[in-house]
Amino acid sequence: MSTIKEQLIKKFQETSANVAVLGLGYVGLPFATVFAEAGFVVTGIDPDVRKVDALNKGISYIQDVETEQVARLVSAGKLRATTDFSELKQADAVSICVPTPLRKTGDPDLSFILSVTDELRKYMHPGMVVVLESTTYPGTTREILLPKLGEENNLVVGENFFLAFSPERVDPGREDWTTINTPKVVGGITESCTQVASSWYKQALQTVVSVSSAEVAEMAKLLENTFRMINIGLVNEMAIMCDRLDIDVWEVIDAAATKPFGFMKFTPGPGLGGHCIPIDPLYLSWKLRALNYTARFIELASEINLGMPRYVAGLVQSGLNEFCKAVKGSHVLVLGVAYKPDIDDIRESPALDVIGLLHQKGAVVSYHDPYIPRLVEESVELESVSDLMAEVRAADCVVIITNHSSYDYQAILDEAACIVDTRNALGKAGWNNPKVVRL
């Protein structure tokens, strides 16, 4: 007689397993569509009624997922959405793709994970595999999910239910590396958990990398993003140092990047943005503080990166000073508020801090972003200006925060009175130009 593990693996191989995805955001919706395309029946569960309604009408609200694809999968009966967690009664495989932000104190906010885990445990049953995708500190899967899903339901992990961690590697806006072809790391609570979760993922994803434990998988994700955060912090400090030395940091970076080995190019900017790099390393730092260890590289890089919006505000002040103008009362136009080019994502965008700081200094701030028509945040409520070039001509200073590819930078350079370029968007045209202040 076959074991529960063997029965579940057989379901995956036959694509007959019912898949549930908890959280239908930037990670969950692409994940759901990939597995629906592979032949699984996928149910997405999200408390946001607007997302659920849009999805069931065949409409995508995520830039990386085409509406045509969603409509086709919904019509075929392979994809649907609901707010009802009782649908988990029929689930064989569950992927948890919920946000893991930071609290204002800088501590991890696991409330989304805790909330969906409390809902999931009501419907746990033998023959189910659960994989946490949300980035978190090492030990979360074992210390938080395992007791709630296993012990409280009299289920034995690795025998009649399976639990693993597999870090999401979504980079919004990318077309070369997506959910389906980005290698997927999987680490289970037990070896059997890793085998079951890997068997599931292999049915839809091109490359699955199995590791020895959930903790290794959790730590791998944090290493990836800590590496990027620290190197961005380094090059941001290099920009500040080059400014003090009157050296062009962008020329320095380009020169260093000609070395074919031992160097990886990173570029400075107005601060960190996105769902990973500004947040994930601080989960690790927080965890280590509980063990009386200070993650010094992380703390220092975070301090430098968090200071960049204020540094940019200072550049605006310097640029206006060259034209005998004060920040107070000046019209400042911010170009781009998404956290990186050509996407509609403002999570942790440094533009929000730059706008807030300029407001505090008395500037009259407007913005333009072709992807973000309206900006409604805690301290900012603005609409993207409709006539970009008219606003460029009217502004006392234009600040390039996000270098969207759709902008005509030569026209902006020709028409603007003063420009602060934090992304080298103007390229060599901005070098030694008296009306351009470059990061």
Side-chain angles (χ1 to χ4, degrees):
M1 186 175 180
S2 60
T3 64
I4 290 176
K5 170 185 169 183
E6 291 168 339
Q7 293 169 7
L8 194 50
I9 289 176
K10 188 169 185 268
K11 281 187 175 183
F12 293 140
Q13 293 170 343
E14 295 172 348
T15 65
S16 61
N18 290 317
V19 172
V21 179
L22 307 186
L24 293 170
Y26 289 92
V27 176
L29 183 55
F31 182 94
T33 56
V34 164
F35 278 86
E37 289 281 14
F40 291 93
V41 174
V42 180
T43 301
I45 304 177
D46 197 292
D48 190 334
V49 176
R50 293 170 299 176
K51 289 181 180 178
V52 169
D53 288 346
L55 197 60
N56 287 332
K57 291 175 183 175
I59 300 170
S60 173
Y61 44 84
I62 298 293
Q63 186 178 340
D64 290 345
V65 179
E66 297 289 340
T67 286
E68 179 278 328
Q69 181 188 31
V70 172
R72 174 169 46 80
L73 292 171
V74 169
S75 178
K78 292 298 183 181
L79 179 65
R80 67 187 186 90
T82 181
T83 59
D84 185 2
F85 280 86
S86 69
E87 294 283 340
L88 291 167
K89 292 176 183 178
Q90 286 78 43
D92 300 300
V94 179
S95 175
I96 299 175
C97 304
V98 296
T100 47
L102 289 172
R103 301 185 189 278
K104 290 183 177 180
T105 57
D107 297 335
D109 181 359
L110 299 183
S111 59
F112 294 97
I113 290 179
L114 292 170
S115 177
V116 296
T117 301
D118 285 339
E119 290 292 336
L120 174 58
R121 69 176 174 177
K122 299 174 186 176
Y123 308 106
M124 287 293 296
H125 56 77
M128 180 183 281
V129 58
V130 177
V131 180
L132 176 63
E133 296 242 351
S134 308
T135 305
T136 184
Y137 60 83
T140 301
T141 309
R142 191 180 303 272
E143 295 166 7
I144 294 180
L145 271 68
L146 179 57
K148 289 179 177 290
L149 302 181
E151 297 165 14
E152 294 183 15
N153 289 283
N154 296 316
L155 295 173
V156 180
V157 70
E159 294 184 14
N160 55 12
F161 97 103
F162 307 90
L163 179 61
F165 181 82
S166 180
E168 58 86 6
R169 283 171 162 172
V170 173
D171 190 4
R174 285 198 85 112
E175 296 181 359
D176 51 350
W177 294 104
T178 61
T179 299
I180 196 168
N181 68 343
T182 301
K184 204 77 168 76
V185 174
V186 178
I189 295 297
T190 69
E191 185 177 349
S192 290
C193 293
T194 303
Q195 291 170 353
V196 171
S198 296
S199 175
W200 170 25
Y201 279 20
K202 284 177 182 177
Q203 307 311 311
L205 308 178
Q206 291 181 6
T207 306
V208 175
V209 181
S210 298
V211 295
S212 62
S213 69
E215 287 80 4
V216 170
E218 289 165 336
M219 192 65 166
K221 170 67 173 179
L222 296 181
L223 174 58
E224 295 168 19
N225 287 333
T226 300
F227 171 81
R228 293 171 68 190
M229 176 214 197
I230 287 174
N231 279 282
I232 292 170
L234 170 63
V235 79
N236 277 335
E237 187 172 39
M238 186 66 67
I240 295 170
M241 291 189 292
C242 283
D243 181 56
R244 298 282 180 93
L245 295 168
D246 197 24
I247 299 172
D248 191 301
V249 68
W250 300 95
E251 188 176 6
V252 170
I253 292 168
D254 287 344
T258 62
K259 186 179 181 183
F261 55 88
F263 181 81
M264 182 176 289
K265 183 177 178 178
F266 287 83
T267 54
L272 290 182
H275 62 300
C276 286
I277 304 176
I279 294 173
D280 297 352
L282 299 181
Y283 269 66
L284 182 58
S285 177
W286 175 86
K287 178 69 173 179
L288 268 296
R289 281 202 299 272
L291 301 174
N292 296 317
Y293 183 86
T294 301
R296 287 164 287 180
F297 273 117
I298 293 175
E299 300 286 352
L300 180 57
S302 178
E303 180 183 336
I304 293 168
N305 291 328
L306 287 172
M308 291 308 292
R310 191 169 296 277
Y311 184 74
V312 169
L315 293 180
V316 174
Q317 184 172 5
S318 297
L320 288 169
N321 280 345
E322 291 298 317
F323 294 90
C324 301
K325 293 183 178 180
V327 175
K328 187 174 183 179
S330 289
H331 176 191
V332 179
L333 172 64
V334 171
L335 290 189
V337 295
Y339 83 83
K340 71 172 190 173
D342 304 332
I343 66 169
D344 60 356
D345 192 345
I346 61 168
R347 286 176 294 174
E348 308 297 325
S349 173
L352 305 178
D353 289 328
V354 172
I355 290 172
L357 288 166
L358 291 173
H359 271 310
Q360 289 177 15
K361 291 178 178 291
V364 178
V365 184
S366 60
Y367 87 92
H368 180 274
D369 193 305
Y371 297 90
I372 316 291
R374 185 172 174 80
L375 198 57
V376 181
E377 292 296 310
E378 187 174 331
S379 58
V380 178
E381 186 170 345
L382 295 169
E383 289 188 3
S384 179
V385 298
S386 56
D387 190 336
L388 171 59
M389 293 312 299
E391 200 76 8
V392 167
R393 287 188 287 270
D396 296 300
C397 182
V398 174
V399 188
I400 301 172
I401 297 293
T402 311
N403 49 327
H404 292 305
S405 60
S406 59
Y407 285 138
D408 184 342
Y409 291 105
Q410 185 58 55
I412 291 167
L413 179 59
D414 291 341
E415 298 292 337
C418 171
I419 299 177
V420 172
D421 185 0
T422 71
R423 299 289 189 179
N424 196 32
L426 301 174
K428 290 187 177 181
W431 293 16
N432 302 315
N433 189 309
K435 65 178 181 180
V436 177
V437 177
R438 302 167 72 236
L439 181 62

